[in-house]
Amino acid sequence: MSLVFVEAIPYDSISSLLRKVAYGLATTCVLGTAVYIGYSVASPDNHSSKRYRNPELNDEIEKVVSSLKLNYEQLKHIMHCLEEEMNAGLSSETHKQATVKMFPSFVRHIPDGTERGQVLALDLGGTNFRVLSIKLRRNSHIELTSKIFLVPQSVMIGDGKRLFRHLAECLAEFMEKEHLSQSGICYPLGFTFSFPCKQESLASARLTTWTKGFSCAGVINEDVVKLLQDAIDEKGINVKCAALVNDTIGTLMACAYKEPATSIGLILGTGTNACYIEDLDKVGTWNGDHDEPKQVIINMEWGAFGDNGCLNHIRTKYDEEVDLSSINPGQQTFEKMISGMYMGEIVRLIILDLLQRELLFLGHRDTYGDYKTPIYNRGGFYTKFVSTVETDEGIKFSNTRRVLEDIGIRNPTFDDCVIVQHICRQVSKRAARLAGAGLAVLINRMGKPTVTIGVDGSLYRYHPRFKRNMERSMEGLVNKDLKFKFALSDDGSGKGAALVACVAAHNAPEVLTKHTREIINDKTSEENSD
Ligand code: ADP
Ligand code: MG
């Protein structure tokens, strides 16, 4: 059965995976036995005649999968479109209509490793909310304690005041546990708030739109630093929010603290976004001073790339379905093709489509009539499953089987596993190639001979091939004389906010009390660490 399948479809497709399997077996010189053993290990006990795969089914599957493939010309075209959108976002004449907003942050200095002090940070990313306490020591050494808190679904879509009260409550609980609640001391705080904001100064920023499943009332157009500070003051917590950054900027800052060549911050988590260092004279929307350094970090908000339809030619019906069933239809087109919040759902929709067209899980369809099984339900296939499935090497598919059983598919065949893995690989590869094309635009535009890209986010961290696939696509797209490398930033988004807050507190001591300045200068801990 599997060998029929091998003959049926072209190279660089499902058959190539099977060919590799067959090759491996041939080298053991017991091809026949091994195919039998391999198949009996991998397939379930009952072989119903209904499960015989007609080769034409594989052609149908291949049609679906090839709609996810992006060739070099398509990627070059996407790069060209992104650069046009970036220029529109940076120009004061076109900024309003632009989809890629290119918000200037008020961060212009990259840390150099000499920063010192103790700072708190909040990191609200989309899935995780973390409270951090960070001590910046000598030689770029950082001491960090942190705790993850849950943001309940009801708070994510409830009243804005309730959200900020919740954040303040978690902060208070953390400070209590870490013995930071002494009166008379006011700690500076960096707030990583990873939603599109128009920044008005380092410590004021208005939310332009909610993304990533959040939709709290009364926050859009409001200053989120003020909303947070009000909630902190209401609880009587000894903290002053000194800076708001988004996670891309936090990540860039945290990486630059260790590696000064860092000029790009990238997020691949619940959502996706990037920031980079831009020359001030290219930022038409900049209304701050033009002092040295003549550069500013731009928060691209690249997740919205494609919201004007310019990516429609590469979107599939599954992308359209993901969009329509999201809480923000028509928005965050690029993000919905790349990030962790949506990747598993794209895979689920493809699997479900193939199942309903009787191209996958043959002979099982009758037993899947139970619409309560995860495969029938939105969000039923987690993005972490994509990583798990792609971790399988060889013919056993033990991870893939476990995942399929988790989503309600009992006894998948060997071919079912191959096809599901193939789908996962193509969906994640498309995401990596799109992100890679975006990064190539930034690297070529900056033209620096070597660039380090600081990255944070669970998709990048845990997916077994995302980095490799990005690198491969970028090798063909980045100008040949420019070198780049990735640096995973552990807790980067939170650490970076603390760094920015620390620098801000040094530069604007009037916002803080004398006590705070003593904490920032951190004389006692510095002496103790010597
Ligand atoms: P945040 O975006 O809140 O900062 P993370 O960076 O942890 O949080 O990203 C969370 C996202 O990462 C979720 O959407 C989840 O689907 C995805 N994710 C979690 N674990 C994995 C994994 N093992 N492989 C791929 N994606 C994952
Ligand atoms: Mg994050």
Side-chain angles (χ1 to χ4, degrees), residues 123 125 247 456 493:
D123 180 359
D247 47 5
D456 198 5
S493 43

Side-chain angles (χ1 to χ4, degrees), residues 26-62:
T27 56
T28 65
C29 306
V30 284
L31 180 64
T33 328
V35 166
Y36 173 75
I37 294 168
Y39 190 73
S40 54
V41 168
S43 60
D45 299 337
N46 329 323
H47 294 196
S48 95
S49 58
K50 274 168 115 185
R51 291 198 198 176
Y52 174 75
R53 291 195 67 84
N54 180 334
E56 281 164 20
L57 303 187
N58 303 326
D59 293 345
E60 286 301 309
I61 293 176
E62 207 42 41

Side-chain angles (χ1 to χ4, degrees), residues 82 100 125-126 194-196 209-214 246-248 267-274 299-307 311 314-315 319 322-323 326-328 330-346 383 427 430-432 434-435 459 466:
L82 178 60
V100 182
S194 305
F195 300 90
T209 171
W210 282 115
T211 55
K212 298 183 282 192
F214 275 70
N246 84 350
D247 47 5
T248 58
I267 296 296
L268 292 162
T270 313
T272 181
N273 189 11
N299 163 23
M300 295 179 67
E301 291 298 341
W302 82 5
F305 176 40
D307 289 3
L311 292 177
I314 59 160
R315 289 175 74 213
D319 296 305
V322 163
D323 180 49
S326 70
I327 69 162
N328 53 351
Q331 291 174 17
Q332 301 295 102
T333 308
F334 199 50
E335 177 161 273
K336 286 172 181 163
M337 296 174 88
I338 296 177
S339 76
M341 182 156 181
Y342 309 99
M343 185 181 288
E345 182 64 3
I346 298 175
T383 298
V427 171
R430 182 184 70 156
L434 285 170
L459 176 59
F466 207 94

Side-chain angles (χ1 to χ4, degrees), residues 57-195:
L57 303 187
N58 303 326
D59 293 345
E60 286 301 309
I61 293 176
E62 207 42 41
K63 261 191 223 155
V64 169
V65 170
S66 40
S67 68
L68 296 162
K69 290 185 179 166
L70 295 170
N71 62 31
Y72 174 77
E73 277 71 34
Q74 284 172 309
L75 290 173
K76 284 300 265 189
H77 178 66
I78 290 165
M79 285 172 67
H80 174 74
C81 297
L82 178 60
E83 188 138 28
E84 280 190 349
E85 297 295 318
M86 286 167 63
N87 289 332
L90 288 170
S91 150
S92 51
E93 285 90 62
T94 46
H95 174 83
K96 224 172 174 174
Q97 307 88 277
T99 50
V100 182
K101 284 296 181 195
M102 306 293 284
F103 292 121
S105 69
F106 279 73
V107 183
R108 294 177 59 196
H109 294 270
I110 305 302
D112 58 9
T114 61
E115 292 75 12
R116 302 272 177 277
Q118 181 175 10
V119 198
L120 292 168
L122 300 183
D123 180 359
L124 184 65
T127 299
N128 294 314
F129 169 55
R130 310 214 307 143
V131 184
L132 306 94
S133 157
I134 290 145
K135 283 187 182 160
L136 304 165
R137 303 281 202 192
R138 294 195 170 174
N139 304 325
S140 302
H141 181 66
I142 295 182
E143 259 177 51
L144 183 144
T145 43
S146 73
K147 185 168 173 4
I148 294 183
F149 291 88
L150 203 80
V151 180
Q153 177 73 16
S154 59
V155 174
M156 285 169 70
I157 54 171
D159 185 61
K161 280 214 163 57
R162 204 169 140 216
L163 169 70
F164 288 97
R165 258 184 217 137
H166 178 71
L167 305 188
E169 274 157 20
C170 298
L171 174 64
E173 187 186 318
F174 176 82
M175 291 177 70
E176 190 69 38
K177 193 174 142 272
E178 296 295 320
H179 311 292
L180 298 171
S181 313
Q182 306 99 306
S183 58
I185 294 177
C186 181
Y187 291 89
L189 175 120
F191 185 20
T192 307
F193 182 75
S194 305
F195 300 90

